[in-house]
Amino acid sequence: MPPDFPESNRVEMTDSEIDRLLRDHGVGVLSFADDGVAYGIPISFGYDSERERLYFVFLRPGETSKKSEFAEKTARASFTVWEAPSRYEWRSVVVDGELHPLADDEWERVTDILEDNAWFPSLFSETSPMQDLLGWELRIDHRSGLQRRQP
């Protein structure tokens, strides 16, 4: 029999709590869909609360990239961030919206946003040349957050 999870222990997060989680955690899971085929990847991100945008940088190691192929075919993407210090205390945020390639004139502003909260593995700093970096933005249409706190 599954454990009892009382509804009263789950609380919707406020807008400021959602903003804080998106600002404080620079990594999550980006989910794509192409004609009924789903693809989710762990990825670093930058969050722009003023414009309601998430920014991603895809590293392209070769001529093709599964991430880029799915991104180009996905009308709407979903992104999830979570924190779970214990099984009795957790919080998560899910956002969704349209995914668009980053315009060339946006890189300087977006780089500042990525530096504010994105988490990059050492692979990012070792990637060269720069044409292997592809920028994407998720224009947030909807966001929600749930949390459970210790009683």
Side-chain angles (χ1 to χ4, degrees):
M1 179 166 192
D4 182 26
F5 293 109
E7 194 71 29
S8 62
N9 288 342
R10 292 176 293 196
V11 178
E12 286 189 35
M13 294 171 67
T14 65
D15 285 341
S16 63
E17 290 170 325
I18 289 171
D19 283 338
R20 190 173 320 114
L21 187 64
L22 290 170
R23 251 191 338 269
D24 292 349
H25 293 276
V27 67
V29 174
L30 178 60
S31 299
F32 309 98
D34 176 21
D35 196 27
V37 177
Y39 179 52
I41 57 168
I43 192 167
S44 182
F45 72 99
Y47 174 54
D48 182 348
S49 60
E50 291 179 22
R51 295 184 73 202
E52 293 272 323
R53 303 279 197 270
L54 297 181
Y55 297 102
F56 309 96
V57 176
F58 296 174
L59 304 177
R60 185 176 53 201
E63 290 296 314
T64 62
S65 164
K66 187 173 181 179
K67 286 182 290 224
S68 294
E69 289 173 8
F70 267 82
E72 290 168 2
K73 295 176 181 178
T74 297
R76 294 184 58 78
S78 177
F79 189 74
T80 305
V81 178
W82 70 94
E83 177 181 66
S86 78
R87 67 188 287 177
Y88 302 106
E89 184 179 4
W90 51 263
R91 58 190 181 148
S92 64
V93 168
V94 176
V95 302
D96 60 68
E98 294 181 3
L99 195 61
H100 296 273
L102 193 60
D104 289 340
D105 63 347
E106 294 280 323
W107 273 104
E108 185 175 338
R109 185 181 59 75
V110 169
T111 299
D112 291 339
I113 292 168
L114 288 165
E115 288 177 2
D116 281 345
N117 76 305
W119 175 89
F120 294 110
S122 63
L123 173 65
F124 186 81
S125 62
E126 298 166 6
T127 301
S128 64
M130 288 299 281
Q131 66 260 24
D132 290 336
L133 303 177
L134 305 170
W136 290 84
E137 70 175 2
L138 189 146
R139 299 174 185 170
I140 300 172
D141 292 331
H142 180 262
R143 63 190 207 160
S144 62
L146 286 176
Q147 61 187 334
R148 183 182 191 280
R149 297 184 183 125
Q150 289 272 25

